[in-house]
Amino acid sequence: MQPSIPSQSRKSRSPILSLADTAYARLKEEIFDFRLAPGDRFSETSTAERLQISRTPVREALFRLQQEGYLQVHFRNGWSVLPLDFEQFENFYDLRIILETAAVRRLCESALDSQTFARQVLDGLKAIWMVPVADRLSDGLLVASHDEAFHISLVEAVGNAELSRVHRDVTERIRIIRRLDFTRAPRIEKTYDEHALILDAIFCRRTDDALQLLRSHIEASKAEVRKITLHRLFLARQAASQVSEQDAEQSTEPLPAAKPPRPTKTPAQKRSSSRK
């Protein structure tokens, strides 16, 4: 049995761990939103100042992101965001196909009427994706988030915790690419159409159709990865920069001017007004 950590030591470490988690989450979000774009270089000091978090938890967060394959450390020369590894992304998409087709096959071959959880999940997806064209969303980032949730939900509906865990890991690794995939309106419309067809095939238990539709859907997204150019990365970063500027402006809007206090009368003025 390993010795327990003294309570005083835990208390002294917990603030650093909490700040490290905060720094990790914020930096990862900046990478996914292209505020930190592939190739960008930065230092621990500048990052700590920007996040307003001390260097020790920031350093811990940076090394954690390095281990996950997002950052690279340079000896005596700071950090940089790793370039996009398109071959690795294609491998992740291949793994997605294996995991998601296995899940959809299980859903098609199960009696949905007796699977309460699976039915609830699929009904929830139907309410989002099988809607009239006029009710469809147009915000690319929002649709990207819903698209990710769609595929996660299909796998989770099966009820296999390990399958879901592996699929979530793969999903996170391709999130940065998925957001680029939804920067154009035609991809948004096509996603709605394809998700609706996949769901319809699952509800009708047409296994072969559902599997073929799902494979084609993921392959189409995979093909979009090959079309990503530096120009699209630049546009994504420009859009993220504009959002950041808008957020900064909203946070620094001047407060309404306070009403000036009513002047107080001196004792002499009070006596004069009382005589009147």
Side-chain angles (χ1 to χ4, degrees):
M1 181 181 296
Q2 295 181 347
S4 60
I5 301 174
S7 59
Q8 184 176 359
S9 175
R10 278 199 299 267
K11 288 180 180 179
S12 64
R13 289 176 59 193
S14 59
I16 295 178
L17 290 175
S18 176
L19 288 173
D21 290 339
T22 300
Y24 168 82
R26 289 177 62 181
L27 288 168
K28 199 169 195 179
E29 182 181 1
E30 289 183 351
I31 292 171
F32 286 154
D33 288 344
F34 298 99
R35 283 173 282 172
L36 281 175
D40 278 0
R41 298 178 77 103
F42 55 91
S43 67
E44 289 179 9
T45 302
S46 64
T47 303
E49 291 174 352
R50 179 166 52 80
L51 299 181
Q52 295 185 335
I53 297 175
S54 59
R55 286 184 61 181
T56 299
V58 166
R59 184 182 301 115
E60 184 176 332
L62 292 172
F63 277 113
R64 184 176 169 187
L65 289 166
Q66 180 198 24
Q67 291 174 350
E68 294 180 2
Y70 295 104
L71 299 178
Q72 180 179 4
V73 61
H74 303 276
F75 182 63
R76 293 183 179 177
N77 199 18
W79 296 77
S80 67
V81 182
L82 281 172
L84 299 179
D85 186 340
F86 293 102
E87 182 178 354
Q88 185 183 55
F89 286 131
E90 290 202 11
N91 291 336
F92 281 132
Y93 271 93
D94 289 341
L95 183 53
R96 266 191 69 196
I97 292 174
I98 294 171
L99 297 173
E100 293 186 27
T101 53
V104 167
R105 182 182 294 277
R106 290 274 297 275
L107 290 174
C108 289
E109 294 175 352
S110 64
L112 290 179
D113 292 338
S114 62
Q115 302 289 329
T116 305
F117 175 69
R119 184 75 194 201
Q120 288 177 343
V121 171
L122 293 173
D123 284 342
L125 294 177
K126 181 179 179 180
I128 295 172
W129 297 102
M130 300 178 74
V131 295
V133 175
D135 294 336
R136 293 178 175 181
L137 300 172
S138 58
D139 184 298
L141 284 178
L142 187 56
V143 175
S145 178
H146 282 306
D147 173 69
E148 182 175 307
F150 171 85
H151 292 275
I152 289 175
S153 297
L154 283 182
V155 176
E156 289 187 340
V158 174
N160 185 319
E162 286 304 307
L163 181 66
S164 296
R165 180 185 61 79
V166 175
H167 182 262
R168 278 185 174 273
D169 289 343
V170 172
T171 298
E172 181 167 287
R173 296 309 301 270
I174 64 174
R175 183 173 295 149
I176 191 170
I177 293 295
R178 176 176 264 129
R179 293 192 178 189
L180 279 175
D181 194 17
F182 286 91
T183 55
R184 296 183 296 170
R187 285 295 300 154
I188 295 174
E189 295 301 317
K190 198 168 184 180
T191 298
Y192 268 98
D193 295 337
E194 292 173 357
H195 282 189
L197 290 173
I198 292 168
L199 287 172
D200 183 64
I202 294 173
F203 278 114
C204 297
R205 303 179 69 179
R206 300 195 312 270
T207 305
D208 291 341
D209 288 346
L211 294 177
Q212 181 57 44
L213 287 166
L214 181 64
R215 285 195 193 95
S216 298
H217 174 64
I218 299 176
E219 286 287 356
S221 182
K222 179 181 173 182
E224 286 297 313
V225 172
R226 301 189 190 103
K227 299 177 185 177
I228 292 173
T229 62
L230 291 176
H231 180 62
R232 285 181 67 182
L233 289 172
F234 170 77
L235 292 177
R237 179 168 189 172
Q238 193 176 46
S241 176
Q242 291 173 352
V243 171
S244 298
E245 289 175 0
Q246 291 173 359
D247 292 342
E249 289 176 359
Q250 291 175 358
S251 64
T252 57
E253 285 183 357
L255 296 174
K259 292 182 179 180
R262 296 179 62 183
T264 56
K265 294 182 178 180
T266 63
Q269 289 174 327
K270 289 180 180 178
R271 286 195 299 270
S272 175
S273 60
S274 63
R275 293 193 197 98
K276 295 177 182 177

